[in-house]
């Protein structure tokens, strides 16, 4: 089984709909991240969480919200989806307590299309 | 703020040729540097990382990168390209103090038979 899983893997939705993307990890890591990838722009950080009670905005948080339900779960919500949120979304984890703490491990991604 | 510049959004090489993907970073303090690879329709996989130990870092699949402080560079190389190396490659740096990864815009590598 994959260490970092994302659901759904693909989603098509309409403008104005609320949508949630979920991320779960079995790595036991304390830190979790949400990124979006757009062609030619690389990955940009949306939100990150260093533990269950520590959630921070990233570079492009407008239009998104997150919830860290447990150490292993980190959800990303689009309250009212718009077409320019069409992108590939990645969840990542890292462990602050170990050597190599700066290394992030990525899930397989969720491809979102907003019509 | 930290930034990463990847020169060339697309690089094309012949099978068996040298692969050179360029990455320059901006940092006033010693950084942690990474190369990630994304194969088609997959997530990102760590290729290698520099964490202030040896300046020449060896990664998976025959790739290596050399940290050059004087040039603020961390270029990725492989002596002989294989068809399976076709992918998008991302250079990234950890932003000092926040431990957030900052990514370059990526370089798509095409390997021609």
């Amino acid at each position: 089984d994959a260490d970092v899983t994302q659901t759904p893997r693909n989603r098509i939705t309409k403008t104005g709909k609320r949508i949630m993307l979920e991320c779960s990890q079995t790595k036991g890591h304390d830190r979790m991240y949400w990124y979006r990838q757009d062609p030619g722009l690389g990955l940009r950080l949306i939100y990150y969480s260093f533990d269950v009670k520590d959630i921070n905005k990233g570079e492009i948080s407008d239009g998104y919200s997150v919830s860290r339900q447990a150490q292993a779960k980190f959800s990303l919500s689009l309250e009212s989806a718009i077409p320019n949120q069409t992108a590939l979304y990645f969840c990542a984890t890292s462990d602050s307590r170990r050597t190599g703490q700066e290394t992030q491990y990525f899930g397989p991604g969720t491809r979102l299309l907003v019509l | 703020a930290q930034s990463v510049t990847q020169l060339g959004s697309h690089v094309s090489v012949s099978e068996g040729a040298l692969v050179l993907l360029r990455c320059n970073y901006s940092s006033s303090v010693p950084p942690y540097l990474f190369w990630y690879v994304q194969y088609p329709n997959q997530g990102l996989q760590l290729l290698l990382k520099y964490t202030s130990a040896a300046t020449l870092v060896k990664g998976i699949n025959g790739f290596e990168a050399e940290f050059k402080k004087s040039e603020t560079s961390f270029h990725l190389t492989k002596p002989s390209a294989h068809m399976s190396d076709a992918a998008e490659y991302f250079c990234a740096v950890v932003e000092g103090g926040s431990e957030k990864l900052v990514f370059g815009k990526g370089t798509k590598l095409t390997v021609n038979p």
Side-chain angles (χ1 to χ4, degrees), chain B residues 4 12 26 32 40 43 52 59 69-70 73 75 79 81:
Chain B
V4 174
S12 182
S26 68
Y32 290 151
S52 75
K69 183 178 178 181
S70 61
S73 69
H75 302 331

Side-chain angles (χ1 to χ4, degrees), chain A residues 5-99:
Chain A
T5 57
Q6 293 183 234
T7 56
R9 293 294 312 278
N10 293 278
R11 180 72 183 266
I12 300 174
T13 192
K14 294 182 178 180
T15 297
K17 293 292 187 181
R18 184 179 188 274
I19 182 172
M20 179 181 289
L21 309 183
E22 299 186 339
C23 177
S24 295
Q25 52 113 348
T26 58
K27 300 181 77 68
H29 289 176
D30 55 340
R31 297 181 173 185
M32 298 186 73
Y33 310 79
W34 275 106
Y35 294 89
R36 65 176 280 175
Q37 183 183 15
D38 299 277
L41 296 180
L43 276 77
R44 293 179 292 168
L45 183 63
I46 306 172
Y47 270 95
Y48 61 103
S49 171
F50 282 176
D51 67 41
V52 174
K53 296 182 180 179
D54 180 11
I55 294 179
N56 304 280
K57 293 182 178 180
E59 180 187 356
I60 52 164
S61 59
D62 287 350
Y64 302 94
S65 62
V66 291
S67 174
R68 184 85 182 265
Q69 301 95 325
Q71 186 182 52
K73 295 184 182 295
F74 193 35
S75 300
L76 176 71
S77 293
L78 287 66
E79 297 300 328
S80 180
I82 56 176
N84 77 358
Q85 292 177 312
T86 293
L88 184 55
Y89 290 84
F90 286 106
C91 175
T93 72
S94 67
D95 189 343
S96 69
R97 299 157 296 183
R98 297 184 181 180
T99 301

Side-chain angles (χ1 to χ4, degrees), chain B residues 6-76:
Chain B
Q6 291 185 241
L7 296 176
S9 58
H10 290 84
V11 170
S12 182
V13 300
S14 298
E15 192 172 19
L18 171 71
V19 176
L20 171 61
L21 304 182
R22 298 178 186 273
C23 173
N24 288 87
Y25 66 92
S26 68
S27 174
S28 59
V29 297
Y32 290 151
L33 292 158
F34 303 80
W35 277 100
Y36 282 87
V37 59
Q38 184 181 26
Y39 298 105
N41 300 312
Q42 294 187 27
L44 276 74
Q45 178 181 0
L46 181 68
L47 260 184
L48 50 81
K49 65 180 180 182
Y50 167 76
T51 57
S52 75
T55 56
L56 182 62
V57 181
K58 294 186 183 299
I60 61 172
N61 302 336
F63 284 93
E64 62 182 35
E66 186 173 8
F67 174 71
K68 291 187 176 180
K69 183 178 178 181
S70 61
E71 299 177 6
T72 61
S73 69
F74 190 57
H75 302 331
L76 182 71

